[in-house]
Amino acid sequence: KAGVTQTPRYLIKTRGQQVTLSCSPISGHRSVSWYQQTPGQGLQFLFEYFSETQRNKGNFPGRFSGRQFSNSRSEMNVSTLELGDSALYLCASSFLLGTDLYNEQFFGPGTRLTVL
Amino acid sequence: EDQVTQSPEALRLQEGESSSLNCSYTVSGLRGLFWYRQDPGKGPEFLFTLYSAGEEKEKERLKATLTKKESFLHITAPKPEDSATYLCAVQSTGNQFYFGTGTSLTVIP
């Protein structure tokens, strides 16, 4: 079974630009979550999508948005990039055991975003 | 405020020297507690899920336990390949996930 894939693996952008990151979950997983990982803050939850609907959202500004497609693939967009957005962006997919009860999240390798 | 705190931040062990990593949490209702291992340049790799106080799970040299306020990851007779950052996360009843900043483990041959 193929794992979670993320593209691109590395990105360099300049302040003010926007960026779109892509995540393909494990086949059969309908829940996709996005995280930002930085050395100082660790992993911080951005949002979670399930069946094309955003179900949960972390404490990030509206510049961070996402969507999920009918095949469960997900994209994350960051507009008006700031220097502080430089981070590893991780996507994780999950198969729900029951209502909102997760067994485990499988993470992709991440997209390393550098904002200059 | 919901939060997860891991200690120590870094741990150096001699090969074979057993120890424990701590994850303490305050969350408005716990749905699950998760342990992950992360190697440099890679995404976290799932290790365990614990759902209720008193629960224990084992995998090779690792054993995770859970109380009402904290979880421990016990490492028995570690080997150099156990060197990694170990992350703890909790899922709240509000379905938010909170991660600790991790414990960086180095096992010296």
Side-chain angles (χ1 to χ4, degrees):
Chain A
K1 206 179 214 183
V4 178
T5 58
Q6 292 187 247
T7 56
R9 290 294 311 278
Y10 302 92
L11 262 180
I12 299 176
K13 293 285 187 178
T14 56
R15 279 183 301 173
Q17 286 187 307
Q18 76 165 23
V19 67
T20 299
L21 312 182
S22 181
C23 170
S24 292
I26 291 173
S27 178
H29 287 192
R30 294 162 64 190
S31 170
V32 174
S33 298
W34 288 89
Y35 296 87
Q36 180 194 68
Q37 187 175 32
T38 58
Q41 299 291 322
L43 269 96
Q44 293 186 284
F45 173 71
L46 281 155
F47 28 67
E48 183 235 354
Y49 285 86
F50 180 79
S51 293
E52 301 179 65
T53 301
Q54 186 183 90
R55 296 201 310 169
N56 297 295
K57 190 177 189 303
N59 189 26
F60 277 82
R63 299 186 296 109
F64 293 81
S65 63
R67 59 177 176 169
Q68 187 180 34
F69 302 95
S70 58
N71 61 357
S72 294
R73 190 177 70 85
S74 178
E75 288 182 348
M76 191 192 94
N77 185 76
V78 188
S79 62
T80 320
L81 284 167
E82 301 176 359
L83 295 179
D85 295 334
S86 294
L88 180 68
Y89 289 88
L90 291 160
C91 162
S93 76
S94 180
F95 179 81
L96 293 178
L97 281 179
T99 303
D100 298 327
L101 193 63
Y102 297 87
N103 184 19
E104 59 194 87
Q105 289 187 315
F106 294 86
F107 282 83
T111 294
R112 173 74 61 185
L113 173 64
T114 302
V115 182
L116 303 176
Chain B
E1 181 185 349
D2 296 334
Q3 65 178 14
V4 176
T5 304
Q6 292 188 247
S7 62
E9 288 187 14
L11 182 63
R12 289 172 64 91
L13 299 173
Q14 292 289 332
E15 184 172 1
E17 179 187 1
S18 301
S19 188
S20 295
L21 312 182
N22 177 264
C23 170
S24 62
Y25 60 91
T26 54
V27 66
S28 52
L30 179 72
R31 279 192 175 270
L33 184 140
F34 306 83
W35 281 99
Y36 292 88
R37 167 192 171 128
Q38 187 173 25
D39 293 298
K42 296 186 177 182
E45 175 189 346
F46 170 79
L47 294 173
F48 303 107
T49 307
L50 301 167
Y51 292 109
S52 57
E55 191 174 358
E56 298 182 351
K57 287 192 177 173
E58 285 188 71
K59 179 181 180 181
E60 296 180 354
R61 296 177 291 282
L62 300 176
K63 178 180 177 181
T65 61
L66 180 65
T67 71
K68 287 187 178 179
K69 292 296 180 186
E70 59 190 348
S71 177
F72 293 93
L73 184 66
H74 308 278
I75 303 177
T76 302
K79 298 181 178 181
E81 53 262 41
D82 295 323
S83 297
T85 295
Y86 290 85
L87 299 168
C88 169
V90 298
Q91 179 190 5
S92 70
T93 50
N95 289 324
Q96 293 272 348
F97 281 86
Y98 302 93
F99 276 79
T101 52
T103 293
S104 176
L105 174 66
T106 302
V107 182
I108 305 161

